[in-house]
Amino acid sequence: MNRNGVFLFTSESVTEGHPDKVSDRISDAILDAIMEEDPHGRVAAETLVTTGLVLVSGEITTQCYVDIPRIARETVKEIGYTRAKYGFDGDTCAVLTSIDEQSPDIALGVNKAWELKSGEEQESIYSTIGAGDQGIIFGFACTETPELMPLPISLAHKLAMRLARIRKEKIVNYLRPDGKSQVTVEYVDGKPSRVSSVVLAAQHSDEVSLERLREELVELVIKEVIPQELLQGTKYYINATGRFVIGGPLGDTGLTGRKIIVDTYGGYSRHGGGCFSGKDPTKVDRSASYMARYVAKNVVAAGLAEKCELELAYAIGVARPLSVFVDTFGTEKIPVQKIEQLICDNFDLRPAAIIDNLNLRRPIYKQIAAYGHFGREDVDLSWEKTDKVEILRKQAALSPLSS
């Protein structure tokens, strides 16, 4: 994203009533219920929703019992699918489960890391857990917004949240749970200049007129979220087909993990391909992604770069990452090699350390299943803290490489 001249960049978000997000939220509600009773439970819960059906499958190893059908129904109703008239509701949908235990072959690597088995390291509290799978993970931060997120995804999330809020608070009475947003930002010399276009798709009752819906969503959603100075020559596309009555699981099958770009940086940063929802923190797809965001955000907040993307690579059963790569897109204030060294010196990137330092063995996941896992100012998330800023600034200033 180190581009000069003028270009457009677009990101999207979806509401919690979008069928993929219904699936994500059910999976994370199951995870939360297990984390509350058994913080060391191993969970990989996958959910499918379609017309009249919730199917939960996956691998779960735990010492506690959770009522998965009850959790699924309660979650569907919390989202807002409470009437058969909406085409899907928590009281009448079927809930099927197909759950097995975590493979003992995977557990071999997670329970005891390669470093201990090979004798490379002596046992310590952070060398006992190996990564739950191989994979690459990216974290990102930039100075475009106060929460250090790219502007397009930040605005898209806020529009989707506002759309849900005016439905839940009954500011309007015709909205249904499903909805999507999309924001295109015009950049000039790498900096956001204005919002070029806004797309909203809002599920609605059959009674409301399209003219009223479009007018009210501009006033009650778009203009409430996007600063006026960015709305210069902006084009609005609201329910562009003219009708969005059939939505949610009735209109489209939903699956856990099918909105990974919505969950992260809206495509502005690279993505390793793994999803978050339904996974306990031994899965580095989730925990290391949170850590990578924490690292990148602290680097940017410390003023070491205006943009920072961090890539981590893991091998199944191995605690330490195989590689740590930093890209600052030419915005670094000190040499990139020194930023990498500061990261390795101040952040423990082993799974057990990540879980401990970010306090991930607790029921915090359902609340972030929709509207993004990063840049959230409405919830208190450990990976959004900037508590490493002072030490990074101090060590960067003392470094001979910073001169």
Side-chain angles (χ1 to χ4, degrees), residues 324 326 335-347 392 395 399 401:
V324 178
V326 174
V336 175
Q337 294 86 347
K338 181 56 188 176
I339 295 176
E340 289 182 351
Q341 188 61 53
L342 288 171
I343 290 169
C344 293
D345 289 346
N346 292 285
F347 299 90
L392 290 175
Q395 292 183 13
S399 167
L401 289 180

Side-chain angles (χ1 to χ4, degrees), residues 38-344:
D38 178 12
H40 292 272
R42 301 282 170 81
V43 182
E46 309 287 346
T47 304
L48 175 148
V49 296
T50 189
T51 305
L53 174 65
V54 175
L55 172 62
V56 180
S57 62
E59 295 75 46
I60 297 176
T61 301
T62 180
Q63 300 300 312
C64 69
Y65 168 77
V66 296
D67 188 341
I68 290 177
R70 178 186 60 80
I71 292 169
R73 293 184 188 281
E74 288 181 353
T75 303
V76 169
K77 289 188 284 187
E78 286 173 4
I79 290 169
Y81 290 110
T82 56
R83 300 177 64 189
K85 184 179 180 181
Y86 301 161
F88 189 79
D89 78 278
D91 288 322
T92 64
C93 66
V95 180
L96 304 180
T97 62
S98 179
I99 304 294
D100 203 348
E101 292 186 341
Q102 182 187 67
S103 164
D105 295 347
I106 295 174
L108 282 174
V110 177
N111 294 341
K112 190 173 184 179
W114 166 271
E115 289 87 340
L116 291 181
K117 294 177 182 177
S118 64
E120 290 183 5
E121 294 186 15
Q122 294 185 348
E123 185 167 346
S124 69
I125 59 171
Y126 292 154
S127 64
T128 53
I129 295 180
D133 201 353
Q134 70 178 48
I136 57 173
I137 288 95
F138 289 92
F140 183 78
C142 65
T143 57
E144 290 184 12
T145 63
E147 64 271 27
L148 304 184
M149 286 287 286
L151 183 61
I153 190 64
S154 177
L155 292 178
H157 283 323
K158 290 173 182 176
L159 288 171
M161 291 177 76
R162 177 66 182 173
L163 192 61
R165 180 181 173 186
I166 66 170
R167 169 179 63 87
K168 292 178 178 179
E169 295 183 359
K170 302 189 187 309
I171 295 173
V172 297
N173 62 3
Y174 50 78
L175 290 179
R176 301 294 182 253
D178 198 355
K180 303 178 76 171
S181 64
Q182 185 172 286
V183 177
T184 300
V185 173
E186 181 180 276
Y187 286 76
V188 178
D189 294 329
K191 304 291 184 182
S193 174
R194 70 183 185 97
V195 171
S196 172
S197 65
V198 176
V199 179
L200 286 180
Q203 187 188 11
H204 58 87
S205 70
D206 210 4
E207 291 78 27
V208 66
S209 70
L210 181 60
E211 181 181 13
R212 178 189 171 191
L213 181 143
R214 286 175 171 170
E215 180 180 326
E216 292 189 341
L217 293 192
V218 169
E219 295 299 323
L220 297 174
V221 178
I222 296 174
K223 291 185 178 179
E224 287 290 324
V225 168
I226 301 178
Q228 184 59 43
E229 61 268 21
L230 293 177
L231 295 175
Q232 304 297 324
T234 305
K235 295 182 179 179
Y236 303 137
Y237 301 91
I238 299 175
N239 283 23
T241 68
R243 178 180 168 88
F244 186 7
V245 173
I246 299 172
L250 176 64
D252 190 15
T253 297
L255 294 168
T256 297
R258 204 161 59 176
K259 284 289 177 283
I260 59 175
I261 301 302
V262 170
D263 287 342
T264 52
Y265 307 100
Y268 197 97
S269 170
R270 286 169 281 196
H271 197 295
C275 81
F276 302 152
S277 290
K279 295 179 179 178
D280 75 80
T282 65
K283 280 73 171 174
V284 289
D285 279 342
R286 175 164 232 160
S287 54
S289 293
Y290 293 166
M291 189 65 176
R293 162 64 177 174
Y294 175 59
V295 172
K297 186 173 184 180
N298 274 271
V299 167
V300 172
L304 306 186
E306 292 180 14
K307 295 180 182 178
C308 180
E309 182 182 77
L310 175 69
E311 185 204 40
L312 304 174
Y314 289 88
I316 188 167
V318 181
R320 295 189 181 276
L322 306 183
S323 66
V324 178
F325 174 74
V326 174
D327 192 347
T328 55
F329 308 92
T331 68
E332 68 275 5
K333 309 304 178 186
I334 65 172
V336 175
Q337 294 86 347
K338 181 56 188 176
I339 295 176
E340 289 182 351
Q341 188 61 53
L342 288 171
I343 290 169
C344 293

Side-chain angles (χ1 to χ4, degrees), residues 14-30:
V14 297
T15 68
E16 67 229 59
H18 185 281
D20 293 331
K21 280 295 153 200
V22 174
S23 296
D24 283 344
R25 190 154 180 159
I26 292 171
S27 293
D28 276 335
I30 293 165

